Amino acid sequence: MRFPLFVDAVSRRSGLSPDQSAGVARAVLRTLAERMTGEPTTDPTGYLPDELSDTAGDPFTSGPGDFLRRVGERAGVDEQTAGLGAAAVFATLREAVTVNEFRALVAGLPTAADGSIDPISGPDETWP
């Protein structure tokens, strides 16, 4: 799937404009690349536009609030809009890649002590 088609799917799912969806999609994918641990740290999804594909890995272990804050700052939107866009990006990724590719993507995310994916750092935080 080419990036413009990816953005169209994100826009349909989120209800955001295509321009806003493109900005949020770039921000989510870049922030996701930073969130990844292990190699490779550049473009783990294969969907980053060329100008973003050289993202250096900068793993962080905080929860979804920090993730959405980073997405919002990068995309120039509030956290609620970042949450809508992030949910649409992840849903689109899940449909755009194979099950094994999506599992590999998720496997690259940091995990909690019990082995679960750890985007949530506290009981008051919820993931979109």
Side-chain angles (χ1 to χ4, degrees), residues 55-82:
T55 300
D58 178 21
F60 55 93
T61 58
S62 58
D66 187 44
F67 184 90
L68 294 178
R69 180 189 57 76
R70 290 177 187 223
V71 168
E73 286 174 0
R74 286 190 168 129
V77 298
D78 60 44
E79 286 187 31
Q80 182 177 3
T81 302

Side-chain angles (χ1 to χ4, degrees), residues 14-86:
S14 66
L16 301 174
S17 72
D19 287 341
Q20 215 172 19
S21 293
V24 170
R26 284 184 176 95
V28 167
L29 294 172
R30 185 169 202 164
T31 306
L32 179 62
E34 288 177 351
R35 182 87 164 94
M36 303 295 291
T37 59
E39 296 297 325
T41 57
T42 58
D43 197 6
T45 63
Y47 287 95
L48 285 175
D50 290 339
E51 68 269 15
L52 300 178
S53 64
D54 62 348
T55 300
D58 178 21
F60 55 93
T61 58
S62 58
D66 187 44
F67 184 90
L68 294 178
R69 180 189 57 76
R70 290 177 187 223
V71 168
E73 286 174 0
R74 286 190 168 129
V77 298
D78 60 44
E79 286 187 31
Q80 182 177 3
T81 302
L84 287 171

